[in-house]
Amino acid sequence: MSERPYSHWLMKSEPDTFSIDDLRQRKREPWDGVRNYQARNFMRDGMRKGDKVFFYHSNCAEPGIAGIAEVASEAYPDPSQFDPKSKYFDSASSRDKPRWMLVDVKYVRKLKRVITLDELKNQPALADMALVRKGNRLSVMPVDAQDWNFILALE
């Protein structure tokens, strides 16, 4: 069996919607509402139960990595796509051919401090990381093992 290219990920969430503290309280949560094909493909095709995740707070005063989570399920259809009352409803998706997938994530730990986006951008060793590249707005992205370890050492 060949080794998968990634087993570490970064997932963004707006802390006023769902924060690392919310995940800590709930312990496990479906990562719903992803409506970008590339992000969906990462969850559907790349993520596996047990993979580690940086929990990233975005669109806030101090964006950055706030904690660590773990992929707690294989990908499955996001039920919100079928719910006409949901803001994530997709009339073109069907139960036979679901368009949008999600994984469950579970809380591992909060970082000792938020490792800010500015700090990450100022690390030459992370210059090739998708998160710090200009124009990258994906909410789910892979993280190289080397970058993962480098970032943990910043904590």
Side-chain angles (χ1 to χ4, degrees):
M1 187 170 148
S2 66
E3 191 172 315
R4 293 183 300 128
Y6 299 102
S7 60
H8 299 88
W9 305 90
L10 182 139
M11 299 174 88
K12 295 179 180 179
S13 182
E14 295 180 11
D16 60 347
T17 302
F18 191 76
S19 71
I20 189 68
D21 292 324
D22 294 323
L23 184 59
R24 179 175 57 193
Q25 183 179 4
R26 294 183 190 173
K27 300 192 182 0
R28 180 178 172 140
E29 186 75 7
W31 202 266
D32 65 352
V34 172
R35 295 298 182 265
N36 172 285
Y37 288 106
Q38 189 174 8
R40 183 250 356 235
N41 292 349
F42 284 142
M43 289 195 301
R44 182 190 67 195
D45 304 330
M47 288 184 171
R48 296 294 175 262
K49 189 175 178 181
D51 286 356
K52 299 296 184 228
V53 175
F54 280 137
F55 193 109
Y56 182 91
H57 285 169
S58 67
N59 202 17
C60 58
E62 190 176 55
I65 299 170
I68 298 174
E70 183 177 304
V71 177
S73 73
E74 300 300 317
Y76 61 95
D78 181 342
S80 67
Q81 68 191 309
F82 308 121
D83 180 0
K85 294 178 183 144
S86 171
K87 67 180 177 180
Y88 300 119
F89 176 64
D90 184 343
S91 61
S93 189
S94 70
R95 292 189 187 277
D96 292 341
K97 291 187 178 180
R99 183 177 290 183
W100 306 109
M101 306 296 280
L102 60 73
V103 295
D104 291 347
V105 295
K106 69 179 180 181
Y107 178 82
V108 173
R109 70 180 177 91
K110 197 170 176 176
L111 295 186
K112 294 173 192 145
R113 64 181 186 89
V114 173
I115 301 171
T116 67
L117 178 58
D118 285 341
E119 183 178 353
L120 295 169
K121 284 180 174 180
N122 287 322
Q123 300 294 330
L126 300 176
D128 292 330
M129 185 180 184
L131 177 68
V132 302
R133 286 198 302 255
K134 208 163 189 70
N136 188 332
R137 298 189 40 83
L138 282 177
S139 62
V140 176
M141 64 191 74
V143 176
D144 287 328
Q146 183 176 332
D147 292 346
W148 177 273
N149 293 328
F150 183 88
I151 292 166
L152 283 181
L154 296 173
E155 185 185 15

